[in-house]
Amino acid sequence: MLAVFDKSVATIPDGLQTPQQDPSLNALKDAALSRHFTSLHPSAVTINLGGSGLISYSIDKQNPLLPRLFAVVDDIFCLFQGHVENVAPLKQQYGLNKTANEVTIVIEAYRTLRDRGPYPADQVMRDLQGKFAFILYDSTTKSTFIAADADASVPFFWGADSEGHLVLSDDVETVKKGCGKSFAPFPKGCFFTTSGGLRSFEHPLNELKAVPRVDSSGEMCGANFKVDSGSRKESGMPRVGSAANWSQHY
């Protein structure tokens, strides 16, 4: 799976982009990165999100234990890889039918949050038990919701190109193609949203700090993001009855 988001919908966190970024790397220009992805996965389907970016999806060369899924519901696009162990109770919790799978559960969980549901986002993420990574884009609000499980069970990487576009994929070579050395594994136990940036759902009251990565040649190579145990942040999100849309405030 591949997603490239314009900085208007996903602001890259400080530290992910290295100071020595190659100025020629532009993942959205002429759809260069999606064409590279399609060359690796000829059956890939690419969806142009207009000025917001693009997403590409393919089921070939996948790990059968960590399958890829894709769905679109009410202009919400979601790429999902892995599996959720507690599918049955989540279907009941969100009022979904028996045919619902992991990707539709993630979309419904997001819609519940967006429409001012009763649970904070970190609790919704902790309710997802399993091995997974997902990329969600809401074209109505131009918002992203991206996450990986607490054990980083699914290969999942992110990076930044020279224009500040956010690149995400389960294939590290694809991310490196678009971002050079400005990449890193997506932080385990974390989620990223357009309005709230990167947060830990395991430690929601703590800030995350960027720890620079150095490659074998001694050059800067993006950053890992770690929970800062000495920091605290405000808790919570708008609850039911709030006049504000969740997707614009979290």
Side-chain angles (χ1 to χ4, degrees):
M1 59 183 180
L2 168 69
V4 184
F5 293 117
D6 185 75
K7 54 190 174 185
S8 62
V9 297
T11 302
I12 59 173
D14 292 339
L16 186 59
Q17 190 172 40
T18 60
Q20 299 83 19
Q21 177 73 292
D22 182 346
S24 69
L25 293 172
N26 186 332
L28 285 178
K29 185 177 181 180
D30 301 322
L33 196 57
S34 66
R35 286 190 288 106
H36 169 75
F37 183 81
T38 301
S39 72
L40 299 176
H41 306 276
S43 64
V45 175
T46 298
I47 299 172
N48 189 329
L49 301 174
S52 297
L54 61 85
I55 56 175
S56 294
Y57 164 74
S58 173
I59 60 173
D60 66 344
K61 301 178 183 177
Q62 68 176 338
N63 182 341
L65 298 178
L66 299 170
R68 303 187 194 108
L69 300 170
F70 174 68
V72 184
V73 179
D74 295 338
D75 296 322
I76 300 172
F77 301 81
C78 187
L79 298 167
F80 180 96
Q81 184 170 350
H83 65 85
V84 172
E85 297 170 354
N86 57 329
V87 165
L90 288 174
K91 287 181 186 180
Q92 184 176 11
Q93 178 177 329
Y94 292 113
L96 297 170
N97 61 38
K98 293 181 179 181
T99 62
N101 59 12
E102 286 93 337
V103 69
T104 51
I105 287 171
V106 168
I107 290 175
E108 190 59 34
Y110 166 79
R111 288 206 300 186
T112 300
L113 288 168
R114 183 194 65 183
D115 300 335
R116 301 184 297 278
Y119 308 110
D122 53 86
Q123 180 61 55
V124 169
M125 287 304 309
R126 288 195 297 274
D127 285 345
L128 294 174
Q129 300 169 14
K131 300 178 179 181
F132 62 84
F134 65 78
I135 303 167
L136 181 149
Y137 174 72
D138 182 348
S139 62
T140 301
T141 61
K142 297 190 184 307
S143 301
T144 59
F145 187 30
I146 303 157
D149 72 65
D151 296 317
S153 306
V154 175
F156 193 37
F157 305 89
W158 66 344
D161 71 6
S162 63
E163 297 297 314
H165 302 136
L166 184 65
V167 177
L168 304 112
S169 179
D170 57 336
D171 176 31
V172 65
E173 295 302 322
T174 296
V175 177
K176 289 165 71 174
K177 179 77 173 178
C179 305
K181 292 183 178 294
S182 296
F183 78 98
F186 189 87
K188 63 182 181 180
C190 291
F191 65 98
F192 177 92
T193 65
T194 292
S195 56
L198 184 65
R199 304 190 69 164
S200 167
F201 60 79
E202 288 196 297
H203 305 279
L205 298 183
N206 294 101
E207 299 282 355
L208 291 163
K209 62 180 179 180
V211 180
R213 290 175 3 118
V214 179
D215 65 15
S216 58
S217 63
E219 294 186 20
M220 293 279 291
C221 186
N224 290 320
F225 292 84
K226 307 290 186 182
V227 172
D228 184 355
S229 58
S231 68
R232 303 283 286 183
K233 63 166 54 178
E234 291 185 8
S235 174
M237 58 170 276
R239 296 295 202 274
V240 171
S242 167
N245 186 304
W246 170 86
S247 65
Q248 298 174 3
H249 289 267
Y250 196 81

